[in-house]
Amino acid sequence: MKRGRYHLQPNPDPSTIGSSSVCGGGSGCTNGKAKMWEDEAAAQQDCGMDELLAVLGYKVKTSDMAEVAQKLAQLEEVMCNVQDDGISQLASETVHYNPSDLSTWLESMLSELNPPSAFDPVGTTPLAAAAAATLDDSFLGPAESSTLTTLDFDNNNNQKRIFAEASCSDYDLKAIPGKAIYSQRPQTQTHDSSSSSSTQNNVKPDKRLKPASGSNSDILAPVSAYGIPTESSRPVVLVDSQENGIRLVHALMACAEAVQQNNLNLAEALVKQIGFLAISQTGAMRKVATYFAEALARRIYRLYPQNPLDHSLSDALHMHFYETCPYLKFAHFTANQAILEAFEGKKRVHVIDFSMNQGMQWPALMQALALRVGGPPAFRLTGIGPPSHDNSDHLQEVGWKLAQLAETIHVEFEYRGFVANSLADLDASMLDLRPSDVEAVAVNSVFELHKLLARPGAVEKVLSVVKQMNPEIVTIVEQEANHNGPVFLDRFTESLHYYSTLFDSLEGSVSSQDKVMAEVYLGKQICNVVACEGVDRVERHETLTQWRNHLGSAGFAPVHLGSNAFKQASMLLALFAGGDGYGVEENNGCLMLGWHNRPIIATSAWKLANKIMS
Amino acid sequence: MMQFTGTQPHPLHQINAPCSIPTMNKNQIQRARPWPGFPTSKGLGSYGDANYMEQLLVHCANAIESNDATLAQQILWVLNNIAPPDGDSNQRLTCAFLRALIFRAAKSGTFKMLAAMANIAHCKLSIDIHTFSAIELASFVDLTPWHRFGFTAANAAILEAVEGYSVIHMVDLSLTHCMQIPTLIDAIANRLEGPPLVKVTVAGGTATGENNFPTMLDLSYEELGSKLVNFARSRNVMLEFRVVPSSYADGFSSLIEQLLVQHLLYPESGEALVINCHMMLHYIPEETLSPLSCTNSNPCSLRTMFLKALRGLDPTVVVLVDEDADLTSNNLVCRLRSAFNYLWIPYDAVETFLPKGSKQRQWYEASICWKIENVIAHEGLQRVERLEPKSRWVQRMQSAHFRGLSFSEDVVAEVKTMLDEHAAGWGLKKEEDGLVLTWKGHNVVFSTTWVPA
């Protein structure tokens, strides 16, 4: 008995087909690209410094370099002594960051963390050179050491603060989530010691003796040997990774600020520091810093990522992200709950999915519809997705699989896939909509709408098309973050916090392979947020509050996600999310899934404020 | 409409053989990746079909057992939506299984998980098992033939077997706390040769620990005993009541020992020894729990040893009444299927004798719910609901050198009369080796009588 009808459209509307990827090599293309970047970066590190400096107009005398190095060393000593007191607090409490103190921090980064070549009397590292260019006598006084880094800062005098202030825990400021970034388990540190110390040994063979800086207990015993690698010395922790964790965050911030100020040579120098610092870190912090460093480097060197991504690759990454962590599953459960309830009693239902991907959302809904009281409705699905890289019609393949499932569970099924470069290309007339008394429509969008914000008016256009669809319900899942502010530095800071939390939540994942791929998935978003601009920057996440404004002004009214959705999501999470870090919370009828109280994604449901009866 | 698969009787020596699950092999699940591995096997019923619910539960159990979080989450979501706790009988049945599966999954989890689950109204963790007063329990068990069938058949068979004896020693191993004895006393008081002396021995809880199944009665056995003595006196029957601390967990070994001493002391006392086993023996550990190392190569268990010891007492008659299903498999899915295809019956039948929302119905369904949880969520010694089908009990009794008696037409008639007081769905099958209570044609409870071969 075959009751299903399948309208699988093999040839999508040509008008909606866009150009596919520029790159012809599939995933290999990405690798090639990355390799090219690495080569180039390496080349610049090896020999390009002098030229670069000259091009940028910095005149650095070799004789100055030795002096700079000496002063830097002095500064280091002072800093280390000061940090003995402050650092443990910093690590355990919320760490504050004051943008106005940036130069202070920047200075510390520069002085503390230059690669060894900066200390070489004949070295020509642009960083040290740049620092030298602006050195003044006040630098000699450790208490007034704030002017080192500010190549073009006019407010040096305002910032003449003793460094100690900056490392105290009580200075005012914006919070950086402490847990995600700084929680370094002593055990992990120990494990990591061999790799980090050997790296340090290789990189800084001639680093001067420093007074024991880390009186913190989590530095291993041979701390007095800090910085004196001898042949007999076994690998020990040379750098306190907590300390470096803080430095890493500030290096990232400093680099982003340099980018913001278009001070690219400073940014370039800093981005390399990030690499050095990241090595000393473990777990999520290292990974997230590496992705941000890469994104910053791409922006600095104008090596923008390919856009659009190779579709099959991004599909695979999407699947891994789905498997690894509960975010997408939560999105599907909560949206499906709202759709299922909105379809109650309807004989024919039609889901228009803006985020079809692999169709993972729909088997569960179809099963629930198949067994609902009163019998299953006729289920129609319109899946919208981007064009595939190799011209394969993957939307149709997904449709066939769903059709097979529908047949098995005796649900009348109708499917159509639409290929569209952008949802903004969509027109209600394409969708062959039936009158709402015949067919109830739900519009579903998971992680899609924010992409429209790259094009002015596109969200408004799409929402007006959605209105024409006259839906019973619109379900929207979006990242709970504002990565679409006008100021680059703000976006950077927000996304650093956001993705640090996300990467932290991935650490508990069981499958390491899935985890790595999920990180790549998120890394691409980071790259887009940080490196891209204009229409290429599509990861323009906005908060639930902002979406409420978009939807509200477009004539949509919120639908309260029921307590059932909340209970179910909580139960499913508790059973399977693996760990106590995740939590569901309700926010004015919307559901948010968070990690350690930081909301990560939000599901909201909407209906037309004035539903058209037809 | 419900469709049910018959439970295939397993010969005893194949108890440990893994059951085959044709629709759910591992390869199928893995091949389904990355596509969610929902059931795609042919032959699923249409919507609302109990078979389909069963399929989903089976898939869910498999997903939980194989730690497939994605699939388990998806199916749990679906089940949560299609099986409301206040739905029809199929839905409530499914809900109880769902609850048990969640409980099983949660047992390995964290405290937070338990807290989250406490959130879920229809999946609350604790089942409120009602403890009845004696009067309440008496009327409660009479609501349905579930227990009454065994009472009636057993009492009638016992009366026939003890005809002419002036002393009757009844060892009552009953889940229902002697609820069938007043009727027996009533009948025996009126027998032609005059009432005998009735000695009742029951197995009470042991000092070492509570039973793993809920106690239904709010009375101690001592209090219950004095009530029975008073009742018997009102019928001019002398009754002696005795509690022997003994537990199913060790095959009632101390009870057996006690009886053996009496048997040795008074070999020719002329008293009839009646062993009444009413839905109690399935708690005794069988081969799948902890096969004992015996001298011969045959599988051996406390259950076997208990029956052998029973035979050693040379009883006048043994009545064995129990639920006719197989819940002994070590394979969760096998148990789930078997339990699902048996425990729909009380959910279906309850509609005929208790109104929705009534207190008694809540108690009644809670006790089924408890049973489902025990079968699905627990393992090892915690899992006590180890039902075996009639065929396997017959095999066990024969192996222990008992000979089955068939029920007389009088007994059959009496049971039929009792059934007439209940809903039309209940029926009676007279088989060669016993009587079977049926609901809509499906076996529910069997009753057999045995004498030493």
Side-chain angles (χ1 to χ4, degrees):
Chain A
M1 179 178 63
K2 182 174 170 183
R3 281 190 289 160
R5 291 189 294 143
Y6 316 119
H7 294 310
L8 290 163
Q9 181 180 286
N11 298 314
D13 187 339
S15 70
T16 62
I17 300 181
S19 65
S20 57
S21 170
V22 196
C23 161
S27 59
C29 146
T30 316
N31 294 338
K33 198 77 186 146
K35 194 167 179 344
M36 185 186 87
W37 182 81
E38 282 164 15
D39 292 344
E40 191 172 330
Q44 291 191 358
Q45 189 158 27
D46 290 339
C47 57
M49 303 309 186
D50 279 333
E51 286 168 30
L52 187 60
L53 270 180
V55 167
L56 291 170
Y58 293 107
K59 297 184 177 69
V60 182
K61 291 180 206 160
T62 314
S63 60
D64 288 345
M65 292 304 295
E67 193 189 343
V68 169
Q70 192 187 359
K71 287 173 180 171
L72 286 168
Q74 288 172 333
L75 177 61
E76 272 185 282
E77 286 182 24
V78 173
M79 282 169 56
C80 290
N81 292 335
V82 167
Q83 286 180 343
D84 276 352
D85 302 319
I87 202 74
S88 57
Q89 276 172 291
L90 281 176
S92 59
E93 295 171 8
T94 307
V95 173
H96 297 295
Y97 174 73
N98 187 340
S100 71
D101 274 349
L102 186 66
S103 66
T104 313
W105 274 110
L106 199 47
E107 167 190 317
S108 74
M109 303 325 310
L110 280 171
S111 57
E112 185 80 345
L113 301 156
N114 258 331
S117 57
F119 297 89
D120 184 341
V122 293
T124 50
T125 306
L127 184 58
T134 56
L135 277 180
D136 63 25
D137 288 341
S138 69
F139 175 67
L140 288 172
E144 298 183 352
S145 58
S146 64
T147 58
L148 174 64
T149 61
T150 51
L151 293 172
D152 48 3
F153 285 5
D154 292 325
N155 56 344
N156 287 351
N157 292 334
N158 298 339
Q159 301 196 5
K160 290 194 174 180
R161 308 169 63 175
I162 54 170
F163 183 79
E165 253 185 87
S167 61
C168 285
S169 59
D170 61 346
Y171 63 113
D172 56 331
L173 179 280
K174 258 156 73 179
I176 292 173
K179 172 149 179 74
I181 298 175
Y182 298 119
S183 65
Q184 302 295 332
R185 296 173 193 86
Q187 226 180 0
T188 333
Q189 230 172 27
T190 314
H191 276 295
D192 207 42
S193 65
S194 57
S195 65
S196 72
S197 63
S198 59
T199 312
Q200 295 292 338
N201 284 341
N202 295 336
V203 171
K204 303 185 177 182
D206 56 351
K207 186 161 181 184
R208 265 175 304 275
L209 178 80
K210 254 170 54 169
S213 73
S215 59
N216 291 329
S217 59
D218 51 3
I219 293 177
L220 293 182
V223 77
S224 58
Y226 195 122
I228 322 173
T230 64
E231 258 140 48
S232 64
S233 73
R234 59 198 174 86
V236 293
V237 174
L238 286 183
V239 178
D240 181 338
S241 70
Q242 272 189 350
E243 214 170 280
N244 276 357
I246 297 163
R247 289 176 194 153
L248 179 55
V249 173
H250 289 290
L252 281 162
M253 297 307 305
C255 185
E257 174 139 346
V259 167
Q260 166 92 22
Q261 291 168 341
N262 213 25
N263 189 350
L264 292 185
N265 67 318
L266 176 60
E268 186 199 10
L270 282 163
V271 86
K272 289 176 179 156
Q273 302 311 312
I274 297 168
F276 281 112
L277 284 166
I279 289 166
S280 73
Q281 296 300 298
T282 55
M285 187 61 215
R286 171 161 59 198
K287 291 171 199 160
V288 86
T290 305
Y291 278 111
F292 272 92
E294 185 194 321
L296 283 166
R298 283 182 174 275
R299 193 178 174 102
I300 292 164
Y301 296 114
R302 298 192 168 81
L303 290 166
Y304 302 122
Q306 292 288 335
N307 216 9
L309 287 168
D310 173 13
H311 187 261
S312 62
L313 175 65
S314 75
D315 235 27
L317 295 178
H318 186 267
M319 280 304 305
H320 286 290
F321 183 66
Y322 181 94
E323 284 290 334
T324 310
C325 47
Y327 299 109
L328 269 173
K329 296 173 199 166
F330 169 87
H332 292 171
F333 293 135
T334 47
N336 277 354
Q337 195 71 44
I339 293 169
L340 186 65
E341 283 164 21
F343 281 170
E344 202 174 321
K346 308 289 183 189
K347 295 280 176 252
R348 309 190 70 86
V349 300
H350 182 186
V351 171
I352 300 165
D353 187 10
F354 287 178
S355 42
M356 190 65 182
N357 294 303
Q358 287 292 314
M360 293 293 284
Q361 185 169 350
W362 306 117
L365 181 70
M366 288 162 72
Q367 297 266 338
L369 287 172
L371 287 162
R372 76 174 190 181
V373 177
F379 183 65
R380 184 179 170 199
L381 182 61
T382 300
I384 298 160
S388 65
H389 167 67
D390 55 356
N391 284 331
S392 69
D393 197 343
H394 106 279
L395 281 181
Q396 190 192 358
E397 288 162 23
V398 173
W400 275 115
K401 285 192 211 165
L402 289 170
Q404 283 168 6
L405 173 66
E407 189 182 357
T408 315
I409 60 177
H410 304 301
V411 171
E412 186 180 331
F413 183 66
E414 189 181 333
Y415 176 79
R416 203 170 167 194
F418 270 103
V419 173
N421 273 318
S422 165
L423 292 173
D425 299 337
L426 203 64
D427 195 288
S429 64
M430 298 171 183
L431 298 177
D432 186 23
L433 295 165
R434 291 157 202 165
S436 67
D437 54 347
V438 175
E439 185 176 83
V441 170
V443 177
N444 181 67
S445 170
V446 177
F447 299 154
E448 289 294 332
L449 291 188
H450 62 260
K451 296 176 186 166
L452 296 165
L453 295 166
R455 290 206 255 167
V459 167
E460 291 76 8
K461 201 232 160 191
V462 168
L463 290 181
S464 81
V465 170
V466 170
K467 270 168 92 173
Q468 291 167 40
M469 297 171 187
N470 198 19
E472 292 292 326
I473 194 147
V474 181
T475 46
I476 295 175
V477 182
E478 282 293 331
Q479 286 89 346
E480 180 60 17
N482 183 3
H483 299 153
N484 195 31
V487 180
F488 169 76
L489 192 58
D490 294 345
R491 293 200 298 273
F492 183 89
T493 313
E494 280 267 339
S495 59
L496 182 58
H497 292 185
Y498 182 78
Y499 286 103
S500 296
T501 313
L502 253 179
F503 272 68
D504 192 41
S505 75
L506 288 185
E507 286 301 289
S509 164
V510 183
S511 155
S512 61
Q513 193 203 335
D514 274 340
K515 185 171 85 174
V516 168
M517 298 296 272
E519 285 162 358
V520 175
Y521 172 83
L522 296 173
K524 291 198 175 298
Q525 290 179 13
I526 292 172
C527 201
N528 190 273
V529 171
V530 173
C532 295
E533 282 302 345
V535 291
D536 289 333
R537 181 156 61 80
V538 294
E539 299 296 345
R540 294 170 178 263
H541 312 140
E542 291 195 351
T543 60
L544 182 59
T545 312
Q546 290 168 297
W547 286 112
R548 283 196 177 113
N549 288 336
H550 290 300
L551 272 294
S553 53
F556 289 89
V559 175
H560 201 283
L561 291 168
S563 63
N564 200 17
F566 176 79
K567 285 174 183 170
Q568 283 233 41
S570 304
M571 185 270 285
L572 293 173
L573 259 184
L575 279 178
F576 297 110
D580 283 347
Y582 293 102
V584 184
E585 69 181 65
E586 203 216 289
N587 178 321
N588 291 317
C590 303
L591 291 182
M592 289 189 175
L593 174 57
W595 176 251
H596 288 297
N597 299 324
R598 162 54 155 115
I600 299 291
I601 66 170
T603 305
S604 58
W606 305 85
K607 63 181 184 203
L608 298 183
N610 302 299
K611 176 122 171 81
I612 314 153
M613 299 307 290
S614 58
Chain B
M1 283 302 296
M2 284 216 173
Q3 295 169 27
F4 300 96
T5 53
T7 333
Q8 294 299 318
H10 295 255
L12 266 179
H13 58 272
Q14 283 184 8
I15 284 173
N16 290 310
C19 79
S20 65
I21 315 156
T23 56
M24 276 306 299
N25 59 64
K26 272 270 187 239
N27 295 338
Q28 197 175 354
I29 299 171
Q30 283 169 3
R31 220 181 322 120
R33 287 281 172 242
W35 186 256
F38 267 111
T40 51
S41 55
K42 298 291 173 191
L44 291 180
S46 55
Y47 80 89
D49 193 326
N51 271 346
Y52 191 18
M53 300 236 188
E54 181 188 341
Q55 286 288 332
L56 279 178
L57 287 168
V58 162
H59 280 262
C60 188
N62 273 313
I64 289 172
E65 289 304 276
S66 59
N67 286 319
D68 186 340
T70 301
L71 183 57
Q73 273 180 317
Q74 292 212 356
I75 302 174
L76 283 176
W77 181 81
V78 173
L79 285 168
N80 257 320
N81 277 297
I82 61 171
D86 53 355
D88 65 26
S89 59
N90 272 344
Q91 289 171 329
R92 281 179 286 125
L93 172 70
T94 304
C95 181
F97 275 89
L98 170 63
R99 189 196 151 285
L101 282 173
I102 291 172
F103 191 92
R104 185 181 177 91
K107 278 204 305 178
S108 56
T110 61
F111 178 76
K112 182 199 160 204
M113 179 185 302
L114 297 176
M117 291 183 43
N119 245 334
I120 299 169
H122 60 271
C123 283
K124 64 178 179 179
L125 278 181
S126 61
I127 302 170
D128 300 324
I129 295 292
H130 183 69
T131 47
F132 297 85
S133 71
I135 301 290
E136 267 181 343
L137 184 61
S139 63
F140 186 74
V141 297
D142 280 354
L143 283 172
T144 127
W146 200 279
H147 290 293
R148 266 193 98 187
F149 161 76
F151 293 171
T152 311
N155 283 348
I158 291 168
L159 276 177
E160 284 184 2
V162 302
E163 216 166 285
Y165 284 91
S166 56
V167 182
I168 299 168
H169 183 188
M170 178 161 166
V171 179
D172 192 25
L173 295 173
S174 169
L175 188 60
T176 54
H177 309 281
C178 304
M179 283 301 144
Q180 81 180 78
I181 290 181
T183 328
L184 182 68
I185 290 169
D186 256 342
I188 222 162
N190 298 324
R191 73 176 190 175
L192 291 172
E193 66 262 40
L197 167 66
V198 178
K199 301 201 269 184
V200 174
T201 301
V202 300
T206 56
T208 50
E210 290 297 303
N211 285 334
N212 271 321
F213 56 88
T215 311
M216 297 168 86
L217 199 60
D218 66 356
L219 288 183
S220 70
Y221 267 110
E222 287 71 17
E223 293 168 303
L224 182 69
S226 71
K227 279 182 188 291
L228 280 176
V229 168
N230 288 337
F231 175 82
R233 189 179 299 135
S234 75
R235 298 294 190 275
N236 291 317
V237 174
M238 283 292 291
L239 188 138
E240 288 174 10
F241 188 85
R242 180 164 195 182
V243 185
V244 179
S246 187
S247 155
Y248 65 87
D250 64 355
F252 296 108
S253 61
S254 47
L255 174 70
I256 292 286
E257 195 182 283
Q258 175 76 30
L259 294 172
L260 199 58
V261 169
Q262 287 186 347
H263 181 67
L264 293 172
L265 276 180
Y266 316 106
E268 302 298 330
S269 62
E271 76 177 31
L273 178 60
V274 175
I275 313 288
N276 184 54
C277 306
H278 184 89
M279 302 192 190
M280 179 63 88
L281 298 197
H282 69 256
Y283 293 113
I284 301 175
E286 33 64 68
E287 289 78 0
T288 60
L289 177 58
S290 54
L292 300 175
S293 54
C294 297
T295 46
N296 55 20
S297 58
N298 290 333
C300 186
S301 67
L302 283 172
R303 201 170 286 191
T304 309
M305 293 176 48
F306 170 79
L307 294 181
K308 284 213 165 84
L310 213 55
R311 174 63 184 81
L313 299 173
D314 212 14
T316 313
V317 68
V318 177
V319 181
L320 174 57
V321 174
D322 219 317
E323 292 163 327
D324 195 7
D326 183 0
L327 303 181
T328 55
S329 173
N330 278 330
N331 179 305
L332 172 67
V333 169
C334 288
R335 285 205 309 277
L336 189 149
R337 286 185 182 280
S338 192
F340 192 88
N341 284 296
Y342 178 66
L343 292 171
W344 66 276
I345 294 170
Y347 278 100
D348 193 44
V350 72
E351 310 278 358
T352 63
F353 60 86
L354 283 173
K356 264 190 174 159
S358 77
K359 268 267 173 270
Q360 282 189 315
R361 178 146 160 174
Q362 282 172 29
W363 301 337
Y364 177 86
E365 295 199 350
S367 67
I368 313 168
C369 209
W370 183 89
K371 191 171 284 194
I372 291 171
E373 178 188 300
N374 189 268
V375 171
I376 300 301
H378 295 284
E379 291 296 349
L381 290 169
Q382 295 282 305
R383 180 155 63 75
V384 297
E385 291 290 344
R386 296 172 173 267
L387 298 178
E388 289 184 304
K390 171 168 154 256
S391 58
R392 204 179 296 161
W393 280 110
V394 166
Q395 219 173 334
R396 284 188 185 281
M397 293 302 282
Q398 286 169 348
S399 303
H401 302 293
F402 284 102
R403 177 170 56 88
L405 295 180
S406 57
F407 285 85
S408 71
E409 286 310 314
D410 288 350
V411 177
V412 173
E414 200 168 332
V415 172
K416 276 187 173 154
T417 309
M418 182 275 297
L419 286 184
D420 285 344
E421 297 172 27
H422 295 278
W426 299 105
L428 182 69
K429 271 201 283 192
K430 184 170 187 294
E431 294 180 354
E432 201 181 327
D433 44 13
L435 296 180
V436 180
L437 173 71
T438 61
W439 172 255
K440 296 181 179 175
H442 300 274
N443 290 11
V444 182
V445 176
F446 68 85
S447 179
T448 53
T449 51
W450 303 87
V451 293

